[in-house]
């Protein structure tokens, strides 16, 4: 059974049900607009501190994009855990690592409110994972602007169970990965045996605002990103974080910390980036892949054999992007890879199961539980 390293939850009001009572009056409120506006089918928002927040097809109530998906609301929102597991069974997925959708964006200018929302999200996900019988795990979110609070949150989610990694976006509130203020977070993740998973997301409010006032172009009508900004705000920031990691000292400063990069545009880009880094003078860069420190998500149409020859077969992961509805979504992971005739069974076994099992420590009794 496949380990799906990149699936998602569509946040709902249940996600915020664990919010500290002190923040109840400031809880996120759902809002839906007509579909004949500039937002078209990406027509739902969360209102937080009197400001509309727009990222992903969330919330799903009234969302035209979510209504067209084959997955039920309970599956999308993971409010019906048995139905989610049944959907995984149909996809031949044994285990699934879940990432946020709306929480991939910055949530509030108030650091304390954002930290409270993050705690509620993590508690919701931990409880869903506990109901799944060891099938669902999650990528924990932490408040990077408050490193001391983030450290405590890592310890808390490790005790709750279900968390197998810590989320990072390419930029965290406009700070790069190797910003020294992030070091306490990385140190605690390393101590707890949790990899850092860099995923597509909006961690740069400054970049987001660069595109204010521009007319929405036809090519962007079915995306939630501001006009002309999609790759800059998403896939390119994941790639930028990889360069931060490789060209700085993070890998040596935290020698037991593992890293994964997801939704950065497949895996071929990382092979090319590694060659660029080697030409820049870091001759031992490939050693970090050989030792299993760095992993990357792949796409079925990638030049996988080339990427494997440069990065090593042990670096490649697979994912469904469930229940998202874009070019990264795959309803049948196995079939899309197996229909190619150039991938060996041994390589597929590593991509489907072995690599993720080592990355997320599924082969030990403590995987997903307290340490």
């Amino acid at each position: 059974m496949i380990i799906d390293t990149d699936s998602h939850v569509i946040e709902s009001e249940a996600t915020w049900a664990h919010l500290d009572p002190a923040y109840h009056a400031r809880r996120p409120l759902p809002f839906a607009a007509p579909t004949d506006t500039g937002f078209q089918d990406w027509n739902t928002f969360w209102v937080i501190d009197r400001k509309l927040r727009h990222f992903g097809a969330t919330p799903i109530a009234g969302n035209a994009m979510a209504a067209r998906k084959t997955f039920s609301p309970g599956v999308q929102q993971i409010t019906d855990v048995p139905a989610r597991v049944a959907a995984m069974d149909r996809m031949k997925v044994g285990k699934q690592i879940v990432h946020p959708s709306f929480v991939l964006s910055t949530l509030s200018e108030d650091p304390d409110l954002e930290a409270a929302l993050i705690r509620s999200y993590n508690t919701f996900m931990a409880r869903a994972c506990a109901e799944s019988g060891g099938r669902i795990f999650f990528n924990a979110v932490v408040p990077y602007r408050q490193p001391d609070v983030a450290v405590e949150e890592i310890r808390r989610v490790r005790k709750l169970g279900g968390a197998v990694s810590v989320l990072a976006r390419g930029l965290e509130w406009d700070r790069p990965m190797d910003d020294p203020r992030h070091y306490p977070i990385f140190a605690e993740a390393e101590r707890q045996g949790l990899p850092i998973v860099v995923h597509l997301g909006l961690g740069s409010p400054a970049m987001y605002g660069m595109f204010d006032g521009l007319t929405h172009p036809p090519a962007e009508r079915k995306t939630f990103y501001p006009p002309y900004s999609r790759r800059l705000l998403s896939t390119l920031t994941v790639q930028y974080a990889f360069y931060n990691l490789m060209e700085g000292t993070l890998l040596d400063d935290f020698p037991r910390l593992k890293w994964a990069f997801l939704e950065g545009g497949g895996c071929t880009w990382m092979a090319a980036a590694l060659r660029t880094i080697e030409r820049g003078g870091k001759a031992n860069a490939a050693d970090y892949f050989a030792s299993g420190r760095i992993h990357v998500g792949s796409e079925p149409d990638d030049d996988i054999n080339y990427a494997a020859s440069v990065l090593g077969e042990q670096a490649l992961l697979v994912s469904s992007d469930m229940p998202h509805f874009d070019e990264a979504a795959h309803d049948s992971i196995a079939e899309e890879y197996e229909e190619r005739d150039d991938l060996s069974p041994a390589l597929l076994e590593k991509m489907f199961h072995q690599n993720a099992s080592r990355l997320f420590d599924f082969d030990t009794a403590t995987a997903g539980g307290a340490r």
Side-chain angles (χ1 to χ4, degrees):
M1 296 287 279
I2 290 168
I3 298 178
D4 177 3
T5 62
D6 187 1
S7 67
H8 291 268
V9 59
I10 304 298
E11 292 85 350
S12 65
E13 290 179 278
T15 311
W16 320 120
H18 310 284
L19 194 62
D20 187 301
Y23 293 97
H24 178 74
R26 299 171 69 188
R27 67 192 182 279
L29 301 175
F31 171 78
T35 56
D36 60 354
T37 69
F39 294 102
Q40 305 226 355
D41 289 350
W42 303 93
N43 63 312
T44 53
F45 313 81
W46 289 103
V47 179
I48 302 177
D49 273 359
R50 304 185 181 185
K51 182 177 179 180
L52 286 176
R53 318 277 174 163
H54 187 239
F55 196 84
T58 171
I60 68 171
N63 184 272
M65 182 66 68
R68 296 205 303 271
K69 295 180 181 179
T70 57
F71 301 109
S72 69
V75 170
Q76 294 183 52
Q77 299 171 142
I78 319 187
T79 50
D80 186 342
V81 176
R84 177 79 172 213
V85 172
M88 291 165 57
D89 288 340
R90 293 192 294 272
M91 298 168 65
K92 300 181 181 178
V93 168
K95 291 183 173 66
Q96 196 170 66
I97 291 85
V98 176
H99 309 269
S101 293
F102 175 68
V103 180
L104 288 172
S105 66
T106 53
L107 302 179
S108 172
E109 290 73 27
D110 179 350
D112 293 331
L113 175 58
E114 183 172 58
L117 292 170
I118 285 171
R119 283 193 295 271
S120 184
Y121 171 85
N122 287 336
T123 300
F124 169 82
M125 283 305 311
R127 295 189 179 190
C129 292
E131 294 179 29
S132 73
R135 299 288 299 279
I136 299 174
F137 302 83
F138 75 107
N139 189 16
V141 185
V142 298
Y144 277 83
R145 287 182 294 172
Q146 297 180 304
D148 55 337
V149 177
V151 167
E152 290 302 317
E153 185 63 5
I154 291 172
R155 294 171 182 167
R156 188 182 77 92
V157 298
R158 207 49 168 123
K159 291 178 182 178
L160 286 175
V164 292
S165 58
V166 174
L167 173 72
R169 296 163 291 197
L171 292 165
E172 286 295 339
W173 283 92
D174 300 314
R175 299 171 183 170
M177 282 297 93
D178 57 354
D179 188 299
R181 286 168 287 189
H182 298 159
Y183 274 43
I185 299 170
F186 299 149
E188 188 60 32
E190 181 183 53
R191 191 175 297 114
Q192 296 291 341
L194 295 173
I196 300 295
V197 173
V198 182
H199 191 286
L200 173 158
L202 176 60
S204 175
M207 288 174 62
Y208 199 83
M210 289 167 54
F211 303 93
D212 286 348
L214 297 180
T215 302
H216 220 288
E220 297 269 358
R221 282 180 180 170
K222 291 188 177 181
T223 179
F224 51 82
Y225 289 99
Y228 311 108
S229 68
R230 185 180 187 191
R231 300 303 174 191
L232 178 61
L233 292 177
S234 55
T235 51
L236 291 182
T237 56
V238 174
Q239 297 177 21
Y240 174 64
F242 176 70
Y243 280 100
N244 286 160
L245 178 69
M246 298 299 295
E247 296 180 331
T249 64
L250 280 176
L251 286 164
D252 296 325
D253 293 336
F254 304 99
R256 294 180 291 108
L257 185 59
K258 297 178 182 178
W259 296 76
F261 294 81
L262 303 178
E263 288 199 45
C267 62
T268 311
W269 70 267
M270 186 174 281
L274 179 59
R275 292 300 193 213
T276 299
I277 291 165
E278 290 173 331
R279 289 194 298 271
K282 194 162 187 173
N284 66 332
D287 294 346
Y288 297 109
F289 291 88
S291 62
R293 296 279 308 282
I294 303 174
H295 299 73
V296 63
S298 65
E299 292 293 329
D301 59 354
D302 273 326
D303 190 344
I304 290 174
N305 285 308
Y306 167 69
S309 71
V310 175
L311 306 174
E313 294 183 352
Q314 75 286 340
L316 305 181
L317 307 170
V318 300
S319 61
S320 69
D321 205 38
M322 170 194 183
H324 287 179
F325 193 57
D326 53 29
E327 69 270 16
H330 307 287
D331 289 339
S332 180
I333 304 171
E335 290 180 9
E336 292 190 49
Y337 283 92
E338 290 173 345
E339 68 183 10
R340 296 176 52 155
D341 58 6
D342 63 331
L343 303 178
S344 71
L347 174 56
L348 288 174
E349 172 61 17
K350 291 175 182 177
M351 296 174 64
F352 286 174
H353 181 82
Q354 293 177 8
N355 297 344
S357 185
R358 284 194 297 269
L359 170 63
F360 297 111
D361 201 19
F362 284 136
D363 291 333
T364 68
T366 56
R371 284 187 179 175

